[in-house]
Amino acid sequence: MTGLDPVLLDEALGLVRELTIGRASLREAHDRLTPLRQRWPETQPAFVRDEEIADGSVCFDMLLREPAGTVSIAFSPTPALPWPLRGAVRHSEHQLLRVGTRTLYVGQALTALDFLWYDHDVLARLVDTALIATELELRPIEVSEEELQAAADAYRRAKGLLDPASTARWLAERGLSAGDFADLVAHTVAVGRLREQVVGDSLPSWFERHREAFDTLVVAWIAEGPHPHPHPDPGPDPDAALAAVAAAVRAGRAAGVLRLTAAEAAPEVRDATGPVPTVIAGMPVTAVVTAREPAELTAGTRQLVERAMFDEWLAQRRASVDIEWFWLPRDVTNPGG
């Protein structure tokens, strides 16, 4: 006998029945779940939606937490298969991994790789996608039409999609409809708002503790020939390094000077006390840090700090959640492997 409120169980069954018969989308289901979350937050209501490939039928399963475990409530209209029999194998060829109760599908994963903002290890990014989706279910974020339009316009500009024809071609190449694109843009906006919520008012104090990671490094590099430092002794000589770069450029060799944030630099560059081998723009080069400018909390730095804090939050979530991969070898995906 479950200890859940009988009123909750009745409402859950009624909602599951309505959504299943109406073949609702997962997004609509999440919206309909809000009243239950507000009234019984301790049960952490969540939906799983399954569409049977064989007959096209849809089935919803609601998951409700209680101290002793998880209660599952599902409804399958005749003649659709009951929930336990749907899919001869519990994970289908369309599923990539499970993170807690969230299943990430292969199509979602491939889309995420094109829509997420900054570089992570691929496996970690896929797990992050499921974690973020779960968090957005627990604290839904409303996105206005104005925000959606501005974000969609910005994304199209960034991708060079400056006319309807190029946008339509880009969507077709990825198997996306205009509705899919709108959903993905809305999700991107919601993730940005979630990131702001996670960071909250702690950004200034976090920045003070990690200030050096956001210092600006001035790096001189040469792709061929002598490195941009005339002597192997530690401690860069900025004038000599810049002179070596200029000489390399005059000789027609690849060389240059770049500025980047310490947190974005390769570890060997970030920690260098003299010339080090590294890779810049895909080329093996020798580089030396000629100057380090202390970080200030400008608007640009604030964005980097916010993302770093969000990454830290996601890493903590990854470390605490149960993850099961369906497609990849265990020795690749096992954290202890």
Side-chain angles (χ1 to χ4, degrees):
M1 177 67 71
T2 177
L4 294 174
D5 185 344
V7 176
L8 167 61
L9 297 177
D10 286 344
E11 293 196 16
L13 178 57
L15 181 55
V16 165
R17 187 192 302 269
E18 290 178 23
L19 294 171
T20 298
I21 294 175
R23 297 179 55 82
S25 67
L26 193 55
R27 183 176 182 181
E28 179 184 350
H30 291 160
D31 292 340
R32 297 283 302 279
L33 200 55
T34 300
L36 271 66
R37 288 201 184 103
Q38 293 174 342
R39 188 170 177 184
W40 294 280
E42 71 283 355
T43 65
Q44 301 177 30
F47 271 127
V48 178
R49 182 184 188 273
D50 182 69
E51 186 166 347
E52 185 68 24
I53 296 176
D55 60 10
S57 62
V58 169
C59 182
F60 277 91
D61 183 17
M62 186 185 294
L63 305 178
L64 301 170
R65 298 295 181 94
E66 62 174 8
T70 301
V71 173
S72 173
I73 299 176
F75 173 76
S76 296
T78 304
L81 288 172
W83 180 267
L85 300 180
R86 297 177 71 85
V89 181
R90 288 311 302 153
H91 56 271
S92 76
E93 66 273 17
H94 300 286
Q95 296 173 342
L96 181 65
L97 78 155
R98 178 183 58 76
V99 180
T101 60
R102 163 73 53 177
T103 297
L104 189 67
Y105 292 82
V106 174
Q108 290 176 305
L110 295 177
T111 301
L113 292 178
D114 201 27
F115 266 79
L116 290 182
W117 328 270
Y118 38 99
D119 291 335
H120 283 309
D121 174 81
V122 171
L123 300 185
R125 290 177 68 184
L126 295 178
V127 173
D128 289 349
T129 300
L131 291 172
I132 290 170
T134 300
E135 193 67 24
L136 288 174
E137 281 186 15
L138 296 176
R139 39 174 157 176
I141 293 174
E142 296 294 330
V143 179
S144 69
E145 290 298 325
E146 292 76 13
E147 288 178 302
L148 272 181
Q149 188 62 56
D153 291 345
Y155 191 85
R156 282 193 288 264
R157 285 195 299 271
K159 291 290 185 179
L161 309 176
L162 304 180
D163 56 73
S166 60
T167 301
R169 183 169 55 252
W170 184 89
L171 291 174
E173 289 172 351
R174 289 155 179 79
L176 299 175
S177 66
D180 294 331
F181 180 74
D183 288 343
L184 289 166
V185 171
H187 178 73
T188 302
V189 174
V191 170
R193 299 263 295 280
L194 172 64
R195 188 167 62 235
E196 293 173 359
Q197 291 182 12
V198 168
V199 170
D201 298 329
S202 59
L203 188 148
S205 59
W206 193 95
F207 171 70
E208 287 302 324
R209 296 195 303 273
H210 302 82
R211 181 185 287 268
E212 289 188 358
F214 300 93
D215 288 350
T216 297
L217 305 182
V218 181
V219 181
W221 59 271
I222 292 179
E224 303 173 10
H227 56 69
H229 194 292
H231 305 292
D233 58 306
D237 179 343
D239 292 338
L242 295 176
V245 168
V249 171
R250 286 195 297 270
R253 303 203 306 272
V257 177
L258 59 87
R259 296 166 58 86
L260 70 166
T261 304
E264 298 176 311
E268 64 272 13
V269 173
R270 186 168 58 241
D271 302 328
T273 57
V276 293
T278 188
V279 175
I280 292 178
M283 294 185 298
V285 305
T286 299
V288 61
V289 177
T290 62
R292 186 180 189 115
E293 301 170 0
E296 298 294 337
L297 195 53
T298 61
T301 304
R302 181 176 288 272
Q303 290 183 354
L304 294 175
V305 174
E306 190 176 90
R307 291 182 175 184
M309 294 178 68
F310 193 55
D311 284 346
E312 184 178 84
W313 178 80
L314 285 169
Q316 293 169 352
R317 291 301 180 95
R318 289 197 301 270
S320 63
V321 72
D322 173 45
I323 300 172
E324 178 184 3
W325 290 87
F326 301 137
W327 276 40
L328 301 175
R330 289 186 179 274
D331 59 351
V332 173
T333 60
N334 186 345

